[in-house]
Amino acid sequence: MAPKVLIIGFVWPEPKSSAAGSRMMQLIEVFQSANYDITFASACAKSDNAFDLSSIGVTIKNIVLNDASFDTFIKDLNPSIVIFDRFMVEEQFGWRVAEQCPDALRILDTEDLHCLRKGREQAFKDQAIFDKNYLQNDTAKREIASILRCDLSFIISQVEVEILVNQFKIDEHLLYYLPFLLDPVSPEAQRNSPKFKDRNHFITIGNFMHKPNVDAVMFLKSNIWPLIKKELPKAEMHVYGSYVSEKAMQLHNPKEGFLIKGFTDNVNQVMQDAKVCLAPLRFGAGLKGKLIDAMLNGTPCVTTTIGAEGMYGTLKDTNAFIADDPVNFAKQAVELYSNKIYWNGKQKNGFMIINTLYDKAIYTKDVLYKIELLKAGLKVHRQQHFYGQMLMHHTMQSTKFMSKWIEEKNKPKAKD
């Protein structure tokens, strides 16, 4: 009988809408490669952009928050591995998993460090320098507790691994660096990628429900694009992304060449049509899906220090110019757009980075081996991490009974 893995999703994966959706599909592929029987469950409503998981042989299940029906469901399923999609999901369901399936390996996929993103956002709002006072926020207290309760956490950025180890003193045995898992760009695909002369205009892309993306587009429109447009009057700025808000649509201005295009069903095509990708992110965390899409499609970039963080490892040759102030950012964008030699070099670097740092073959066998080792020695592993046991004990005493109180409260009252 095939081993079972249960993935509890914060949302249903939308690979065409967000990097998080693509990441989830990559994790599913890892377990499918090892012939796991996969069930994906979520308490979230499904949007029109949600991927049809049943079409790839994944069993889907709608679950309910604060309801004992989940206990029956997971006990009957009896998975050997449970993956929590973000720490909030572990908070909601972790204690139930531990109670009903105590021998199941519990894995947290952080997506990115939420406490890092929140702290940077607050420092940005305060116009202050980001330091450990911003990092050690209330979200950190919840997220770090979740990491300690789990047997293993997937961390998408090497920078975030270092923060967890050095700032929060997390044992490295509880962490596994797992970036985006991609197919290499073949020599043929590299040769066939549209060339400098065949491309026009600038592009940026990102889910408009993600605050760093919204701020980046606003900053681009008000502080950067006028400087670029002055030097390149015929160029256009094409802004793609799902869930465009009314506020964002007000930025649409054909006269200024700033075009809000909204959701695209084919990110590869729009990336290959564009000459340069702009990503002026001023806060955030994790790896940036837009920069990955740009590299895969041979589109050089201009981004910020935040945007570049974790993307290139120790490699010195990148696919991007990096600038944080709007004047320098615009200058680099114009230079990259106009200079074929710079552009060709950055395109070549992008393909090299994908094939060096994100080749899924590098990670798939190793992460599956790590998981099998943990499953075989789970009792010893947990004994070596007492803080996790302690936190789970207190979660059982607090979160569990709050959940049960909500469950009772939600039950229909009997009529007199």
Side-chain angles (χ1 to χ4, degrees):
M1 185 181 290
K4 296 177 182 177
V5 58
L6 170 65
I7 303 173
I8 309 177
F10 180 65
V11 294
W12 295 93
E14 298 182 20
K16 291 183 178 180
S17 299
S18 70
S22 298
R23 160 72 161 190
M24 182 52 69
M25 298 305 297
Q26 291 161 15
L27 289 182
I28 289 171
E29 187 179 343
V30 166
F31 286 97
Q32 284 186 324
S33 74
N35 298 314
Y36 273 83
D37 183 350
I38 304 170
T39 299
F40 190 98
S42 180
C44 183
K46 221 181 263 188
S47 79
D48 293 338
N49 295 335
F51 185 85
D52 180 12
L53 292 171
S54 59
S55 69
I56 58 170
V58 174
T59 302
I60 58 174
K61 172 72 175 178
N62 292 296
I63 52 178
V64 182
L65 291 172
N66 303 307
D67 195 284
S69 60
F70 178 84
D71 300 346
T72 304
F73 156 67
I74 194 169
K75 193 170 185 178
D76 290 343
L77 182 66
N78 193 26
S80 58
I81 301 171
V82 177
I83 299 176
F84 304 104
D85 172 25
R86 288 165 257 206
F87 78 89
M88 302 83 82
V89 170
E90 190 278 333
E91 286 181 329
Q92 293 160 342
F93 294 100
W95 66 269
R96 291 183 183 274
V97 172
E99 197 172 64
Q100 301 300 324
C101 299
D103 296 328
L105 183 69
R106 299 190 297 271
I107 299 176
L108 173 64
D109 183 40
T110 57
E111 294 290 352
D112 60 38
L113 273 187
H114 291 66
C115 60
L116 179 61
R117 176 152 45 92
K118 290 275 187 183
R120 282 180 172 159
E121 182 181 354
Q122 191 58 53
F124 175 75
K125 287 178 180 177
D126 294 345
Q127 297 184 321
I129 296 171
F130 175 78
D131 58 21
K132 67 180 181 181
N133 293 311
Y134 281 104
L135 181 61
Q136 295 177 1
N137 49 48
D138 286 345
T139 299
K141 292 162 190 169
R142 295 169 57 195
E143 190 167 26
I144 299 304
S146 182
I147 289 170
L148 289 170
R149 283 192 297 266
C150 288
D151 301 307
L152 189 68
S153 290
F154 293 151
I155 311 299
I156 202 166
S157 166
Q158 192 67 57
V159 172
E160 294 180 2
V161 172
E162 291 168 6
I163 288 171
L164 289 169
V165 171
N166 297 326
Q167 297 290 325
F168 292 107
K169 309 304 178 187
I170 302 295
D171 189 324
E172 288 181 328
H173 292 96
L174 293 174
L175 309 174
Y176 187 90
Y177 168 56
L178 195 65
F180 290 121
L181 308 173
L182 308 171
D183 290 313
V185 185
S186 68
E188 183 184 11
Q190 293 182 40
R191 287 193 301 271
N192 293 336
S193 185
K195 303 298 183 282
F196 179 85
K197 64 182 178 59
D198 301 319
R199 297 172 178 245
N200 284 297
H201 308 310
F202 293 89
I203 187 173
T204 192
I205 190 165
N207 185 337
F208 278 85
M209 292 178 73
H210 192 55
K211 288 181 182 179
N213 290 337
V214 176
D215 174 75
V217 172
M218 303 286 285
F219 184 54
L220 186 58
K221 174 68 162 63
S222 60
N223 295 68
I224 297 171
W225 183 245
L227 301 176
I228 295 174
K229 190 67 174 170
K230 185 179 178 182
E231 298 297 320
L232 301 169
K234 292 183 179 179
E236 296 174 358
M237 183 69 237
H238 295 177
V239 181
Y240 289 91
S242 55
Y243 305 107
V244 181
S245 64
E246 219 172 289
K247 184 178 180 182
M249 276 307 302
Q250 291 173 5
L251 301 175
H252 182 77
N253 191 326
K255 188 178 178 182
E256 296 176 4
F258 199 92
L259 309 177
I260 305 294
K261 297 278 191 173
F263 177 76
T264 176
D265 197 47
N266 193 337
V267 64
N268 295 325
Q269 187 60 58
V270 297
M271 269 293 178
Q272 289 182 24
D273 289 342
K275 187 168 281 187
V276 175
C277 174
L278 303 181
L281 295 156
R282 297 194 287 179
F283 56 92
L287 298 181
K288 318 309 181 294
K290 56 181 68 59
L291 298 185
I292 291 288
D293 288 332
M295 287 191 281
L296 284 169
N297 291 287
T299 310
C301 302
V302 184
T303 190
T304 57
T305 304
I306 291 288
E309 181 184 81
M311 296 296 302
Y312 308 119
T314 57
L315 297 175
K316 293 181 180 179
D317 295 326
T318 73
N319 76 314
F321 284 130
I322 300 168
D324 292 318
D325 69 279
V327 173
N328 196 28
F329 193 102
K331 181 182 177 182
Q332 301 281 31
V334 171
E335 185 71 36
L336 192 52
Y337 193 89
S338 309
N339 191 315
K340 181 180 177 181
I341 295 173
Y342 279 161
W343 191 93
N344 284 336
K346 293 296 184 185
Q347 182 187 64
K348 184 179 178 182
N349 290 345
F351 294 140
M352 178 272 295
I353 291 161
I354 291 292
N355 292 353
T356 303
L357 299 182
Y358 299 101
D359 183 350
K360 65 185 180 185
I362 297 170
Y363 299 97
T364 299
K365 285 185 179 179
D366 190 67
V367 71
L368 289 169
Y369 178 69
K370 172 76 171 178
I371 285 168
E372 289 307 312
L373 277 182
L374 276 178
K375 283 166 65 179
L378 191 55
K379 185 176 180 181
V380 173
H381 177 76
R382 287 177 177 170
Q383 286 174 345
Q384 291 172 343
H385 298 97
F386 177 75
Y387 289 160
Q389 295 181 58
M390 179 182 70
L391 286 165
M392 181 58 77
H393 169 80
H394 286 288
T395 299
M396 291 283 202
Q397 305 307 311
S398 56
T399 308
K400 171 182 176 178
F401 289 106
M402 174 60 78
S403 180
K404 286 188 172 295
W405 179 80
I406 294 171
E407 186 179 343
E408 287 299 317
K409 192 170 178 285
N410 288 341
K411 286 181 180 178
K413 294 180 181 178
K415 293 182 179 179
D416 293 335

